[in-house]
Amino acid sequence: MSESVVTRFAPSPTGYLHIGGARTALFNWLLARQTGGKMLLRIEDTDRERSTDAAIGAIIDGMKWLGLEWDDEVIYQFSRAQRHREVVEEMLARGAAYKCYASAQELDHMREKARAEGRPPRYDGRWRDLSGSPEEEAAIAEGRKPVVRLKAPRDGETIIDDKVQGKVTFPNKDLDDLVLLRSDGNPTYMLAVVVDDHDMGVTQIVRGDDHLTNAARQTHIYQAMGWTAPDWAHIPLIHGPDGAKMSKRHGALGVDAYRAMGYLPDALRNYLARLGWSQGDREFFSTQELIEAFSLAQVHRSPARFDFAKLENMNGHFLRAMPDDALLAQLIASLPYLPGGPELAEKLDDHKTAQLASALPGLKERAKTLIELLDGAQFLFAERPLSYDDKATQILNPEGRAHLAALAPRLAALPDWKAAEAEAVVRAYVAESGAKLGQVAQPLRAALTGRSTSPGIFDVLETLGREESLGRIVDASA
């Protein structure tokens, strides 16, 4: 059966797509693609102050970067407010909802009384059966603005048969009459999501388990309208390494921050899919393999812990496995978001791009993130005279500089500037001088890159080219 699923986001004042929301969106996307259904993206923008263009743009940008493309146009909940009000009018006509004129002071008193009696702070339902009564007439005469509440069942139980949590039972006495319309006539989140999900044919809802109680409350709205409720799946929230709910103190929380840390979208998507979902010992999946293998039945009930080290290792795997041309395109596209990337992007002409492409096979073997990859490529963009780090400075001692001075004319005489020819020259010099290869290659590396580590030094020579390489060697040998 094809699933129609919706991934929903309320714009955040922090202005980013939260990593937990991204995982929920991913699970919805996998189900829709697996069953040939539809993936809908709905922006729940009823909070107008928080729903800025920047906040909404961050959600859409994060979804696109992760590769979670949706079907149809983006849906904006606020634009459907009139439809939500029409449903409430129908519920009032059915006797499934009522107008409540309780004041803020009365509501506070109800809560205080409930707490004093050891009960959950709930609305007591005092306006449930006062429609058309003298009390209502008096409230209208006073100019009170009512809210509209659902007339929820008071007896029995509401059972949620959840695809992750299993059978969950809620005593109806613990679920009060929720507000459907505020006193200003605007619909509440609880009403709007039900109406939207019904109208859009949503058959499966996947969301965080902090919404589990909402499922029971929303079931009452479905029942009041005579609608069929969708299937529910409430997944555990992501926790930090210490077992506490993921928060700012655990590090970056927005998808945009992970992009800025140099993670690949494929790797982050794979990691989020495996976060709380088991598939034996297997860790790495292509996108199509994820779609085929994913199952809500294998999602754990206990919270998953976010492990940055594991994500980094997974990212390194994807980075090394990515074809060089695809990785180059990904790196260039990521430059605006990486530290120092915009400055390097200005230097990336056709010549530098070709050099970067040539160096990429060696660079990616030493990197786990795009930041590390870019850091390893710094020697391509360095300008003479180079700055040397501490280790390179130590390597370029008098002995090291002497080896460079002896090598320079031999390398300059090469008819073909290729890695293999340069290596033959260096090895011949090592054999003649009686030095060890490392005693010659390390000063060469320091001279060419300013560092003690780099891709294969002979590949570096070929990538930099004859003129630049010889210039750097002469500078360092002086």
Side-chain angles (χ1 to χ4, degrees):
M1 175 181 135
S2 64
E3 299 282 12
S4 178
V5 303
V6 60
T7 190
R8 48 170 76 105
F9 294 103
S12 165
T14 52
Y16 55 62
L17 171 57
H18 189 280
I19 198 68
R23 183 183 62 152
T24 300
L26 171 61
F27 284 10
N28 277 299
W29 183 82
L30 290 171
L31 284 174
R33 296 295 174 256
Q34 185 180 79
T35 63
K38 294 184 76 173
M39 164 80 165
L40 305 176
L41 174 59
R42 190 166 72 225
I43 305 297
E44 299 185 334
D45 56 344
T46 51
D47 187 331
R48 304 307 291 164
E49 288 187 11
R50 296 174 61 170
S51 302
T52 63
D53 290 343
I56 293 171
I59 291 169
I60 292 173
D61 183 56
M63 289 283 289
K64 288 181 176 179
W65 179 74
L66 276 173
L68 304 182
E69 296 290 344
W70 55 91
D71 301 300
D72 302 337
E73 297 295 320
V74 178
I75 303 154
Y76 294 90
Q77 192 169 70
F78 184 75
S79 67
R80 291 177 43 81
Q82 183 56 39
R83 165 60 178 159
H84 304 148
R85 285 188 280 267
E86 290 171 359
V87 170
V88 172
E89 290 300 323
E90 184 176 345
M91 294 173 74
L92 285 167
R94 289 169 174 243
Y98 62 94
K99 294 179 180 180
C100 170
Y101 294 85
S103 67
Q105 292 80 6
E106 288 173 320
L107 292 172
D108 287 340
H109 178 71
M110 290 178 211
R111 296 187 189 101
E112 290 170 6
K113 182 180 178 182
R115 290 191 188 98
E117 296 173 355
R119 296 182 289 108
R122 300 278 187 257
Y123 167 71
D124 64 11
R126 64 182 59 181
W127 286 91
R128 279 174 69 102
D129 302 308
L130 294 180
S131 178
S133 67
E135 289 89 343
E136 184 176 59
E137 292 176 4
I140 294 172
E142 291 174 19
R144 291 197 204 178
K145 298 289 185 181
V147 300
V148 177
R149 290 182 180 271
L150 175 71
K151 192 176 284 188
R154 287 182 160 181
D155 302 320
E157 299 172 331
T158 297
I159 298 173
I160 301 298
D161 191 7
D162 194 271
K163 288 189 175 181
V164 173
Q165 303 297 329
K167 183 178 178 180
V168 186
T169 301
F170 296 89
N172 287 331
K173 65 181 179 61
D174 294 337
L175 304 171
D176 60 357
D177 296 346
L178 60 89
V179 175
L180 302 173
L181 282 187
R182 300 183 182 91
S183 59
D184 61 3
N186 284 322
T188 61
Y189 160 83
M190 296 292 281
L191 167 76
V193 293
V194 170
V195 176
D196 291 347
D197 288 345
H198 170 265
D199 288 359
M200 295 167 194
V202 173
T203 57
Q204 174 69 65
I205 291 176
V206 180
R207 59 189 180 185
D209 60 6
D210 53 334
H211 286 279
L212 190 53
T213 302
N214 286 349
R217 293 174 170 273
Q218 290 165 4
T219 294
H220 294 164
I221 300 177
Y222 282 102
Q223 292 170 344
M225 288 300 296
W227 295 340
T228 300
D231 290 333
W232 309 95
H234 290 85
I235 60 177
L237 301 180
I238 300 173
H239 284 196
D242 59 359
K245 183 180 174 182
M246 193 83 166
S247 65
K248 288 183 179 179
R249 66 189 175 87
H250 294 113
L253 296 179
V255 166
D256 60 329
Y258 291 88
R259 173 165 56 181
M261 287 189 287
Y263 293 109
L264 300 172
D266 286 1
L268 185 58
R269 195 168 61 235
N270 191 115
Y271 180 73
L272 290 177
R274 289 289 288 114
L275 200 59
W277 166 67
S278 62
Q279 187 62 215
D281 294 328
R282 186 174 179 185
E283 292 289 338
F284 304 106
F285 296 80
S286 68
T287 300
Q288 187 57 40
E289 288 169 341
L290 273 179
I291 291 171
E292 293 171 358
F294 183 75
S295 170
L296 288 171
Q298 295 167 318
V299 175
H300 304 166
R301 295 185 187 182
S302 56
R305 295 193 181 193
F306 200 98
D307 186 334
F308 275 97
K310 192 169 184 179
L311 170 59
E312 190 171 87
N313 287 332
M314 183 171 284
N315 198 74
H317 169 88
F318 274 86
L319 193 149
R320 289 186 294 275
M322 183 177 283
D324 291 343
D325 56 347
L327 181 56
L328 179 64
Q330 181 72 62
L331 179 60
I332 293 173
S334 301
L335 287 178
Y337 310 98
L338 300 175
E343 293 80 5
L344 289 185
E346 295 179 0
K347 301 178 181 179
L348 202 61
D349 55 19
D350 290 345
H351 175 64
K352 288 298 181 186
T353 300
Q355 285 186 317
L356 185 56
S358 175
L360 209 53
L363 290 171
K364 71 180 187 179
E365 292 303 316
R366 297 171 174 270
K368 290 185 178 179
T369 67
L370 292 179
I371 289 180
E372 291 182 2
L373 190 71
L374 204 57
D375 183 63
Q378 288 295 326
F379 73 91
L380 295 173
F381 301 92
E383 296 181 0
R384 295 175 52 202
L386 269 61
S387 297
Y388 307 114
D389 66 19
D390 290 343
K391 288 186 177 180
T393 300
Q394 293 173 15
I395 292 169
L396 292 173
N397 54 30
E399 181 185 354
R401 292 199 300 272
H403 287 310
L404 293 176
L407 269 177
R410 297 178 180 227
L411 289 170
L414 276 174
D416 241 351
W417 194 264
K418 297 292 183 183
E421 282 75 2
E423 181 176 2
V425 166
V426 171
R427 289 188 179 277
Y429 169 75
V430 166
E432 292 175 20
S433 65
K436 294 180 179 179
L437 180 61
Q439 292 174 318
V440 177
Q442 277 298 85
L444 192 56
R445 175 174 282 109
L448 294 173
T449 69
R451 301 182 179 184
S452 61
T453 60
S454 74
I457 192 58
F458 304 112
D459 293 326
V460 169
L461 276 164
E462 182 173 335
T463 299
L464 286 174
R466 181 191 298 270
E467 183 179 349
E468 182 67 21
S469 294
L470 291 173
R472 293 185 183 191
I473 292 170
V474 170
D475 290 344
S477 64

